[in-house]
Amino acid sequence: MVKPMSSKGPVQQEMESLLAAAFPDASFTVSNDSAKHHGHVGDDGSGESHFSLSIEWAGFAGMNRVMRQRMVNKALGDLPGQRVHALAIRATAPGE
């Protein structure tokens, strides 16, 4: 389930769509942190350069943190590092 947020930009909407497709039945929240980084390195002026992601998915059970983050990055394709300057990921399995 995606937690509702106001005025989501196209990058955030794309991230949420990709995550929902890659992680069925996951619970996640994508937060746009770009305003906190206005004027810093990596701020491209779009208002969608820095994000935080918290995702809980049963499929992460038994995986280490690096494996989970690699799965998330793979699901997001070219967004991290290309169109998104920074993405903080917190990926957990239920009960963690």
Side-chain angles (χ1 to χ4, degrees), residues 7-78:
S7 58
K8 295 177 187 176
V11 172
Q12 183 172 351
Q13 291 176 18
E14 183 178 353
M15 289 174 69
E16 291 174 350
S17 293
L18 292 167
L19 291 166
F23 303 103
D25 302 319
S27 174
F28 63 85
T29 303
V30 177
S31 301
N32 185 340
D33 302 327
S34 301
K36 298 177 192 174
H37 300 278
H38 180 70
H40 296 178
V41 174
D43 175 25
D44 62 5
S46 71
E48 290 193 285
S49 57
H50 294 72
F51 291 89
S52 296
L53 165 64
S54 177
I55 181 168
E56 182 181 282
W57 184 54
F60 289 142
M63 292 183 186
N64 66 36
R65 183 178 58 88
V66 173
M67 291 172 66
R68 294 171 182 187
Q69 290 190 358
R70 285 182 179 155
M71 285 184 73
V72 168
N73 283 321
K74 183 177 179 181
L76 294 175
D78 73 341

